[in-house]
Structures are given as structure tokens and as C-alpha cells.
Amino acid sequence: MTKTKIVVSFSGKDSTLALHDLMHSDEFEVDSLMATVTSGFDRTSIHGVREELLVAQANSIGLPLRIVRIPQKCSNEIYNEIMAEAMSKMKADGINHIAFGDLFLEDIRNYRENMLKPTGVTPLFPLWGFNTDELLHRFLSLGYKTVITCVDLTKLSEEFSGKIIENGFMDQLPKEVDPCGEYGEYHSFVFEGPIFKSTINFTLGEKKVTPDMFTGKDRFCYTDLIPD
């Protein structure tokens, strides 16, 4: 049976686990990865990871990388235009499906579905509805290793930024924090695991606190990952 080609929206641990499952699927063939990079900063949007490390991930996994560049302070309208163009290029390559690592937030899923509906690209959510405690446990049990690159200081303390996620991590989290950070509590960078041919080596750099774009108050703590 011919497998259906699919692109995976790639960022942190959840999308890595979705990619893992799709790479072992009988129904889908992963064609490539897609990630947004903020122009000028040359870092992945939201996660703050250097583009060089993103490329290293794709090379280690052995999949082509589709980088979608967005401007700084990108409006939702401009973002949708840029993504529509990216979807058009996908369809021109004969790909009509894209997968996301979203877990349970209905508003995020609805946003993606509504955004993609005019493009004719079908979104898939391989991890949707699974218990997040169990997902994180499975992620670690498979042998994946990941580091936290950014935390929301209204939900987690600065000390979590730069922390390696390992067994016992969930016990350190405040009770109101989702184990997988689905509410934006933290974001991560995966550097080792079964789908990687080699470990992505890096050194922890400086931490930087940035303000909330709406309130102007300190909100996010990023830890720079410096490629070795």
C-alpha cells in the first residue's frame, strides 16, 4: 500500500514524539519537517533555538527541513499569509497533510484547522487526547533527551530554564503545571533519541528575561543553547 506523504510541524518534545510515531506509521511517510524562524534573530519562533541547531536536528534525523521565515512582531494577518504560501509550496510538492504535536487545547486546534481550511491542506494531531503524564513518561522511556529552552515566569521559576527533562521531572513541577507544558509553561529542544543518528551537542549559554508584549513586564526566561 502506498503511504500518504506528510510534513511535520517541528519544534520541541511533543512534535518530536508525534514525528516518532509517524515515522513508524503504516499509513504515512514523513516527507519533511517544517519550522518557523524569526528573521533577524535567526532563531525558532517561541522556543528561541538557534537556526543552526534546528538544521543539526533535521540532518541527524535525516529529513529535509522547510524553514518558514516570519518577521519580528509578526501580525496574525501576515503570519497567515506566510503560512498560506508555505502550504501552497507543500501542495506543489504533492503533499496535502501536515501534523502538529498539539495535545488538548481546543482553541489551538481550531485555529490551525481554520487557518488551513482555505489552503486545502489537512491537519493531523497524532497525540491528541492522550494523557500528558503518560506521554512524557513514554517520551523518556523511548530514550529521548530534551532541555528546557524557555519558561513562562508566571508559571515556572527561572531555575527550570536550561534544565534537562529526565525521570523525576514531574515531581518537581507545581501541581497546576501541565507535565508537557501544554499551556505554554515551558518549551524545549530535543537533542538525542531513537530517530536521531547522532546527539546534537551544545553548551548552555546565558539566560535572558524578556517582557510580555502586552504588559511590558518580565515574562519569559530563555536559556541560550550554543552549538558545540
Side-chain angles (χ1 to χ4, degrees):
M1 183 179 70
T2 302
K3 293 186 178 183
T4 300
K5 289 188 175 182
I6 190 169
V7 169
V8 175
S9 178
F10 189 70
S11 52
K13 61 173 178 33
D14 299 332
S15 60
T16 299
L17 188 56
L19 172 62
H20 175 100
D21 290 350
L22 286 167
M23 290 179 71
H24 292 84
S25 167
D26 292 329
E27 183 178 358
F28 294 99
E29 174 190 347
V30 179
D31 170 86
S32 51
L33 308 175
M34 179 177 287
T36 57
V37 170
T38 303
S39 299
F41 292 124
D42 298 326
R43 294 174 183 265
T44 56
S45 306
I46 302 178
H47 291 66
V49 174
R50 298 179 186 224
E51 185 176 332
E52 181 180 347
L53 287 172
L54 174 63
V55 171
Q57 282 180 309
N59 289 341
S60 182
I61 295 170
L63 287 170
L65 177 63
R66 298 171 183 263
I67 293 181
V68 180
R69 300 191 186 278
I70 62 174
Q72 299 174 31
K73 298 181 180 179
C74 183
S75 69
N76 193 56
E77 181 180 2
I78 293 176
Y79 177 81
N80 287 344
E81 290 175 358
I82 292 173
M83 290 306 297
E85 182 179 353
M87 295 303 106
S88 178
K89 291 179 180 178
M90 268 180 47
K91 288 180 67 67
D93 292 335
I95 305 164
N96 299 304
H97 295 77
I98 184 168
F100 297 95
D102 300 305
L103 305 178
F104 59 75
L105 293 180
E106 293 284 355
D107 57 338
I108 298 297
R109 176 167 179 159
N110 290 339
Y111 170 77
R112 299 198 196 282
E113 290 175 338
N114 290 333
M115 178 186 69
L116 291 173
K117 191 173 183 179
T119 71
V121 172
T122 301
L124 296 178
F125 305 88
L127 305 181
W128 189 259
F130 283 92
N131 179 278
T132 51
D133 288 43
E134 295 175 1
L135 280 177
L136 184 57
H137 177 73
R138 182 161 77 92
F139 178 82
L140 295 174
S141 297
L142 286 168
Y144 285 103
K145 294 182 179 180
T146 188
V147 58
I148 295 177
T149 61
C150 173
V151 298
D152 182 340
L153 295 174
T154 66
K155 299 174 181 178
L156 280 175
S157 61
E158 184 177 317
E159 66 182 13
F160 279 91
S161 188
K163 182 186 287 290
I164 302 294
I165 296 178
E166 51 195 354
N167 291 326
F169 172 73
M170 284 189 286
D171 297 331
Q172 303 171 36
L173 294 174
K175 292 182 180 180
E176 65 274 13
V177 170
D178 181 74
C180 289
E182 182 69 349
Y183 291 106
E185 296 98 331
Y186 70 87
H187 301 287
S188 61
F189 173 80
V190 183
F191 57 89
E192 188 175 312
I195 63 173
F196 291 88
K197 297 180 178 66
S198 58
T199 301
I200 312 302
N201 296 310
F202 62 89
T203 301
L204 292 179
E206 67 176 354
K207 292 185 178 182
K208 181 180 181 181
V209 176
T210 62
D212 185 294
M213 65 181 296
F214 299 107
T215 67
K217 296 181 179 180
D218 288 348
R219 176 77 184 270
F220 303 101
C221 180
Y222 290 88
T223 295
D224 191 16
L225 305 184
I226 303 171
D228 287 347

